[in-house]
Amino acid sequence: MKVTMNVDCTPEEARAFFGLPDVQPMQQHLMNEMQERLSANLKSMEPDAMIRAWLPTAVKGFEQWQDMLASQMSSARTK
């Protein structure tokens, strides 16, 4: 025998029915705190420092590429 039951309820009603805690206030508090910290960090950073913090591998790769070109150009001059 196969029985199918459809229940039409909101997520809040389902959470209350199963006895699960409502974590939405905690999530909202954490999101507000993260937003405040991120805003404070962004205001205090210089654009150059911000780019280096966000894209360390890209900046490092670009610097390595510049060094490679410079070394090739200097070796071509000596030949």
Side-chain angles (χ1 to χ4, degrees):
M1 178 195 282
K2 186 175 180 181
V3 176
T4 302
M5 188 183 320
N6 294 324
V7 178
D8 185 23
C9 67
T10 65
E12 291 81 17
E13 292 170 338
R15 191 179 311 114
F17 177 77
F18 287 113
L20 298 172
D22 184 14
V23 295
Q24 190 172 6
M26 181 183 67
Q27 289 174 335
Q28 188 61 41
H29 174 73
L30 290 174
M31 288 303 291
N32 290 340
E33 178 129 357
M34 283 180 54
Q35 185 176 7
E36 288 172 11
R37 288 183 182 189
L38 184 62
S39 295
N41 285 337
L42 287 176
K43 288 177 185 174
S44 68
M45 291 182 77
E46 294 292 324
D48 183 45
M50 189 168 42
I51 289 173
R52 288 186 186 275
W54 287 355
L55 306 170
T57 56
V59 172
K60 188 69 130 175
F62 183 69
E63 289 172 353
Q64 289 175 348
W65 183 71
Q66 282 180 326
D67 292 341
M68 179 191 67
L69 285 179
S71 68
Q72 287 180 354
M73 291 173 68
S74 65
S75 66
R77 273 192 226 145
T78 57
K79 289 183 181 179

